[in-house]
Amino acid sequence: MKKLRRKTRQGPSRWARMRPWLPHAPGFVLTAILLPVTVTMLMNDYGVAGGVAGALAVGQAGPLLLVAARPLTAWGVIFASDVVGAFVISPSLRHGLGDGPQQHPYPWTPMVVIGYLLVCVWLAARHGRRTLITVWLTGTAFSLLLASMKVSANGTSSLFIVLSGLVLLLGAVVRERSEARRQLAEQETISEAERARRTLLEERARIARELHDVVAHHMSVITVQADSAPYRLQGLPPEAAEEFGTIAGTARQSLSEMRRLLGVLRSEEAQGERTPQPGLDRLDQLVEATVRAGVPTDLELAPGLSLLPQGVQLSAYRIVQEALANVVRHAPGAATSVTVREADSGLSVRVVNGPARAARDGPLETSGTGHGLVGMRERVRLVGGSLETGATPEGGFRVAAELPLTSQESRESQEPQEQSPQQDAQSAQDAQTTHDIPQTATTRQEGEAAS
């Protein structure tokens, strides 16, 4: 067992040591074959002296050892040796030296063509179009020049030109295709980074909507209570009335400052909220705060909804919260009804208010942050539901949302729990993952309303 383990461990290391030498293997093999064959052919078929034949063989086959590392250098040495060799063997063919003089290939011997094609393969794999075109034109020019000497009836110039051109062309196509795939992979990597960045921005926008939903609602309620206190409470001393006015002004200023702080949530150092998220069990408190703000509100909450999935409860709570905040801001004193119950399509949420009954002495919030109705739409889209918002014939406003219940998240074993900071961070991760999955949502707006 120990020996087997040792062999298994040594295998990858040996392979890793051999990998850098693999590209050089074809050059080594062809050099070992072409070197002696070239010497023999030049001496026997072309009548070249042994020393000259050996030198030409080294010049024509030896640089193949460098072709993997420096293909252009190897091509220069090999092609120069091939041209010199063609001039060396031409007198032998003219004067009838060797065996069957005028029937041997000229100007390029078979060994020259084989070695040259290997060099063309590496050139096509390493260099661009301009270099390849220059190499092919150079080879073509010398081939035609040597062929014009008409030394042998067995000319190889046409074969040399066609084969080298095909190898260079096919190699260039393969290399450019591989380059295109590599660039596509890089682009996909960049796209993944962009998608991650977009997901981060969407998450920050969600946190900004959370801040708007919570803080803007409570600050609006504080402003309304402070502004209406001198009219609701009889016999207030002037100092107390002035104090309530100061509170209302400070609340309005805080709302303005909050809009500036929303941008901080989109910075790299921003942190998400780590408090437990509210559910449907807190709708009573929300409605009570709205009633105290001077908006008569009726709540119809079906029993047993506390066991719904946490995501659905949070979306429903935030939708009701934003709708009531809009009533406080834009229709003070309007009779409002909130209905939350189960329907065939899932959870039905309805918030309907009538026309405003109380005139405002001062602006509670003159300009919205732009995240109110958008936040409702995003929350509905998150769970794959539908949202309808619009004016009613009586002059009020209606918000109707349908939140479907998924089969995986049923109520049978889900009990409401407060989330720890670690669980809340995990919930933020799950929300981000849900943002990445395309959801089908029907969002429809029947009328314009300030938000």
Side-chain angles (χ1 to χ4, degrees):
M1 291 295 292
K2 291 182 179 179
K3 292 182 179 180
L4 182 60
R5 288 179 181 175
R6 286 179 182 175
K7 289 182 179 180
T8 304
R9 290 174 183 172
Q10 291 176 357
S13 60
R14 289 178 181 177
W15 173 252
R17 288 195 299 268
M18 291 175 60
R19 284 187 64 182
W21 297 98
L22 289 180
H24 300 273
F28 278 105
V29 173
L30 276 183
T31 300
I33 296 175
L34 295 181
L35 194 60
V37 174
T38 301
V39 173
T40 303
M41 178 178 291
L42 291 176
M43 293 178 60
N44 295 337
D45 296 345
Y46 296 93
V48 179
V52 178
L56 288 176
V58 171
Q60 293 174 355
L64 293 176
L65 299 173
L66 304 175
V67 71
R70 298 178 180 273
L72 193 59
T73 303
W75 171 82
V77 177
I78 289 176
F79 187 69
S81 301
D82 293 342
V83 173
V84 172
F87 283 105
V88 169
I89 64 176
S90 60
S92 302
L93 295 175
R94 282 199 186 97
H95 296 89
L97 301 177
D99 183 18
Q102 294 189 352
Q103 300 302 321
H104 295 304
Y106 182 85
W108 317 117
T109 65
M111 301 300 105
V112 167
V113 174
I114 293 174
Y116 191 84
L117 293 181
L118 177 64
V119 177
C120 288
V121 171
W122 280 102
L123 283 173
R126 295 289 184 87
H127 294 278
R129 292 184 180 182
R130 291 185 178 180
T131 302
L132 301 184
I133 292 174
T134 303
V135 167
W136 184 77
L137 290 178
T138 304
T140 300
F142 275 94
S143 296
L144 296 177
L145 175 64
L146 294 172
S148 65
M149 299 170 61
K150 298 181 180 179
V151 174
S152 173
N154 189 7
T156 55
S157 295
S158 300
L159 180 66
F160 180 87
I161 293 171
V162 172
L163 288 181
S164 62
L166 286 176
V167 171
L168 291 174
L169 178 61
L170 293 177
V173 170
V174 172
R175 180 185 58 81
E176 290 179 358
R177 187 174 180 180
S178 301
E179 184 71 15
R181 288 181 177 177
R182 184 186 63 81
Q183 292 178 356
L184 181 60
E186 291 179 357
Q187 189 62 37
E188 289 178 352
T189 303
I190 295 174
S191 299
E192 285 293 334
E194 290 296 331
R195 280 194 290 269
R197 177 69 176 173
R198 186 173 65 248
T199 301
L200 179 62
L201 293 178
E202 289 175 356
E203 183 67 12
R204 289 170 178 173
R206 185 190 68 85
I207 297 174
R209 288 192 296 271
E210 291 284 346
L211 180 64
H212 171 271
D213 292 343
V214 176
V215 180
H217 171 75
H218 292 303
M219 294 302 296
S220 297
V221 172
I222 292 173
T223 305
V224 170
Q225 288 178 328
D227 276 336
S228 61
Y231 306 97
R232 291 184 291 105
L233 305 176
Q234 300 297 326
L236 277 179
E239 294 81 4
E242 182 180 356
E243 186 68 23
F244 277 119
T246 304
I247 294 173
T250 303
R252 280 192 291 271
Q253 183 180 0
S254 299
L255 285 173
S256 300
E257 294 294 335
M258 186 193 68
R259 298 188 193 99
R260 299 192 187 113
L261 291 177
L262 289 178
V264 177
L265 293 175
R266 297 179 175 87
S267 66
E268 292 294 338
E269 295 78 14
Q271 298 290 335
E273 60 175 345
R274 307 182 69 84
T275 56
Q277 298 293 346
L280 295 177
D281 55 342
R282 293 178 56 182
L283 283 180
D284 291 334
Q285 302 175 16
L286 184 64
V287 170
E288 289 177 4
T290 306
V291 172
R292 287 196 301 268
V295 177
T297 305
D298 295 328
L299 173 63
E300 181 183 342
L301 182 63
L305 298 182
S306 60
L307 300 180
L308 291 177
Q310 181 65 25
V312 176
Q313 289 197 52
L314 176 60
S315 296
Y317 179 88
R318 294 305 190 196
I319 291 171
V320 174
Q321 184 183 48
E322 181 59 33
L324 293 179
N326 286 341
V327 175
V328 170
R329 286 193 294 264
H330 307 296
T336 306
S337 64
V338 178
T339 305
V340 181
R341 62 171 181 268
E342 282 193 86
D344 295 337
S345 58
L347 184 66
S348 174
V349 180
R350 299 285 187 276
V351 180
V352 182
N353 66 273
R357 295 181 180 176
R360 293 175 297 183
D361 295 333
L364 297 181
E365 188 180 359
T366 56
S367 60
T369 60
H371 294 294
L373 293 178
V374 174
M376 286 192 274
R377 293 190 189 98
E378 290 298 321
R379 294 186 186 281
V380 169
R381 184 180 293 114
L382 182 65
V383 296
S386 62
L387 176 69
E388 295 181 9
T389 60
T392 62
E394 294 79 14
F397 198 78
R398 174 177 176 268
V399 174
E402 300 289 339
L403 308 178
L405 307 177
T406 60
S407 57
Q408 292 84 358
E409 293 182 300
S410 59
R411 297 178 292 165
E412 40 193 44
S413 62
Q414 298 281 338
E415 290 293 337
Q417 307 180 5
E418 288 195 353
Q419 295 181 350
S420 63
Q422 293 80 5
Q423 290 173 330
D424 186 67
Q426 182 63 37
S427 298
Q429 251 184 350
D430 296 340
Q432 178 175 350
T433 305
T434 310
H435 259 290
D436 292 339
I437 301 175
Q439 302 279 357
T440 16
T442 308
T443 305
R444 200 167 58 223
Q445 186 173 2
E446 297 177 352
E448 291 295 331
S451 171

